[in-house]
Amino acid sequence: MNYTAEAPAVWDPAFADANDCLLTEDQCVVRGQHYFVKGMIEIPVIGIDEVFSWGVWVSLSPENATRAANLWNTPGRESEKPYFGWLTTDLPVYPTTTLNLKTHVHTRPVGERPYVELEPTDHPLAVEQRAGVTLDRVQEIAAAVLHAGVDKPQ
């Protein structure tokens, strides 16, 4: 019920040795200028009390990335207002790219990944987040992801 991207679409493994680049399970910096946080796009599954989740990367402004990092281990951080960001994970199971969809990143309690809310557009991913999906659609996504081999189940 969850698939995750290991890094933002702009990450190159060659960055791993660079002093101005960082990739952890939750945060990423590229060339000391581009900042990303990992969050969850949650999609209700119709008819059952569960959600399907995409673990995705969202770019944040330097100011918001610094604020998020400073509050990372602070109890009560979930009271932060959402941060604007751009989706930087391509989910190839959708007919049009998911790169650069507008998002709001909602901080959750310490130990929980942020909730990524997509701008309400007609993009199929945004529609699924608002309307939910059937269990058959979840199985269709799983088959497509496993066939493509781009993301890994968690």
Side-chain angles (χ1 to χ4, degrees):
M1 296 294 276
N2 176 288
Y3 291 91
T4 189
E6 296 298 320
V10 298
W11 181 259
D12 184 310
F15 294 159
D17 295 328
N19 291 335
D20 58 353
C21 297
L22 171 75
L23 177 63
T24 70
E25 290 183 3
D26 298 301
Q27 298 176 18
C28 180
V29 179
V30 174
R31 298 293 180 216
Q33 298 177 354
H34 306 284
Y35 301 87
F36 307 89
V37 65
K38 192 170 195 177
M40 305 303 292
I41 295 176
E42 297 174 350
I43 301 171
V45 180
I46 298 166
I48 62 174
D49 191 25
E50 289 192 48
V51 296
F52 172 81
S53 300
W54 289 109
V56 297
W57 291 88
V58 176
S59 67
L60 296 179
S61 69
E63 298 79 20
N64 285 341
T66 298
R67 177 105 178 127
N70 288 341
L71 294 173
W72 200 255
N73 293 310
T74 304
R77 70 182 191 165
E78 63 273 15
S79 63
E80 271 293 283
K81 67 179 185 174
Y83 304 125
F84 175 80
W86 298 96
L87 188 61
T88 56
T89 299
D90 188 25
L91 302 173
V93 302
Y94 294 96
T96 55
T97 186
T98 56
L99 290 174
N100 297 318
L101 293 177
K102 292 180 181 178
T103 70
H104 285 95
V105 178
H106 299 262
T107 305
R108 296 200 265 202
V110 173
E112 293 183 39
R113 285 213 167 104
Y115 170 71
V116 177
E117 176 188 14
L118 294 168
E119 181 180 74
T121 65
D122 62 354
H123 189 283
L125 177 59
V127 171
E128 287 181 349
Q129 187 177 43
R130 289 191 313 273
V133 295
T134 63
L135 196 52
D136 285 345
R137 173 65 176 144
V138 171
Q139 292 170 341
E140 179 183 305
I141 290 170
V145 167
L146 292 175
H147 177 64
V150 292
D151 296 321
K152 71 171 191 170
Q154 249 190 0

